[in-house]
Amino acid sequence: MDAGDEVALLQALDAVPGHPAATVALAELYVAEGRGDEALAVLAKIPETAETRRVAAMARVEEAGGSVDGPLAEVEATLQALLPKVKGDDDARQQYVDLLELMGPDDPRTADYRKQLSRQLF
């Protein structure tokens, strides 16, 4: 597992199915390779945690054609564009939540964007 490549991680999961660290590492590898659907399938095999939510958000954002490494202004523009759609569009709402997940709770803007989402939904 320390090697961190796909073969080693798959071997680790063969030895210990559902190993959380190996599963998350494999999913992150898949995301980095543009294999978001496979990452989500791997993550679905273990219980949800903060780490699995983060990697799943990365996978969904990448699959939607976004970037987790884009400029912050781009992320803010995307959030603002999605906000009017979140109430009636499940995909827009999921994308909005995924972006907030990637920003993380320590980002000072996250709380404000969560409040905006709440106001829009309720």
Side-chain angles (χ1 to χ4, degrees), residues 9-28:
L9 292 168
L10 289 171
Q11 288 174 344
L13 288 169
D14 280 341
V16 183
H19 187 280
T23 301
V24 170
L26 182 61
E28 285 181 315

Side-chain angles (χ1 to χ4, degrees), residues 46-61:
I46 62 173
E48 186 177 285
T49 65
E51 189 64 11
T52 62
R53 282 191 302 275
R54 181 186 66 78
V55 177
M58 287 172 42
R60 285 189 296 266
V61 168

Side-chain angles (χ1 to χ4, degrees), residues 29-46:
L29 179 71
Y30 287 163
V31 170
E33 293 176 350
R35 297 162 60 185
D37 286 341
E38 291 175 73
L40 293 170
V42 167
L43 291 171
K45 296 177 183 179
I46 62 173

Side-chain angles (χ1 to χ4, degrees), residues 8 13 18 38 55 57 68 86 88 93 107 112:
L13 288 169
E38 291 175 73
V55 177
V68 297
V86 296
R93 184 172 45 257
D107 188 308
D112 182 53

